[in-house]
């Protein structure tokens, strides 16, 4: 990977980590199955997303910290971050540029994926 690509991946990772830990600077979505869970389970799941650090080459091949999974109350949860333009109409042309990107984190159950 060239230096520019590494720098871009590092910037995307920093932006994703900041968003994932604060839920500020983007949108949070939950699938219908997650929305049906008790509030305390949803709150615990969101806390797990913010605290997630189990990134490996297998689940994070580009080093962008844009996907993760964990077990909670005997269920497997997935979360992912997608990059859209400012109006959420199209994909972002540059996920490393927060002025041109809206991050959308989706929390789902494994069976939703």
């Amino acid at each position: 990977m060239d230096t520019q690509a590494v720098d871009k991946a590092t910037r995307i990772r920093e932006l994703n980590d900041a968003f994932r830990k604060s839920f500020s600077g983007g949108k949070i979505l939950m699938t219908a199955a997650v929305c049906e869970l008790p509030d305390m389970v949803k709150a615990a799941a969101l806390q797990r997303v913010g605290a997630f650090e189990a990134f490996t080459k297998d689940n994070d091949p580009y080093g962008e910290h844009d996907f993760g999974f964990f077990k909670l109350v005997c269920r497997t949860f997935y979360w992912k971050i997608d990059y859209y333009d400012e109006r959420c109409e199209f994909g972002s042309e540059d996920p490393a540029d927060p002025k041109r990107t809206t991050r959308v984190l989706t929390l789902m159950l494994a069976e939703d994926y």
Side-chain angles (χ1 to χ4, degrees):
M1 206 183 275
D2 65 31
T3 305
Q4 188 174 18
V6 170
D7 290 345
K8 192 170 210 168
T10 298
R11 181 66 180 140
I12 291 169
R13 179 175 58 248
E14 290 168 349
L15 291 166
N16 286 347
D17 285 345
F19 170 52
R20 183 174 54 78
K21 292 175 181 183
S22 69
F23 301 132
S24 177
K27 298 177 185 289
I28 307 294
L29 300 177
M30 296 180 192
T31 60
V34 173
C35 285
E36 292 174 1
L37 296 171
D39 288 344
M40 62 189 264
V41 174
K42 291 185 282 193
L46 288 171
Q47 287 178 325
R48 291 273 187 101
V49 169
F52 189 85
E53 293 293 334
F55 297 104
T56 67
K57 291 272 186 198
D58 290 331
N59 69 17
D60 190 32
Y62 302 107
E64 294 180 354
H65 292 188
D66 59 354
F67 173 83
F69 63 94
F70 55 88
K71 289 205 179 270
L72 178 67
V73 295
C74 300
R75 312 279 301 263
T76 300
F77 287 77
Y78 290 164
W79 60 267
K80 66 183 187 94
I81 298 174
D82 292 302
Y83 316 113
Y84 294 94
D85 65 5
E86 307 86 41
R87 299 176 79 191
C88 290
E89 293 178 343
F90 305 102
S92 173
E93 291 182 20
D94 184 6
D97 183 350
K99 293 179 182 168
R100 297 173 53 197
T101 303
T102 300
R103 283 176 160 66
V104 177
L105 187 147
T106 305
L107 179 63
M108 66 194 85
L109 294 174
E111 55 264 27
D112 294 332
Y113 193 66

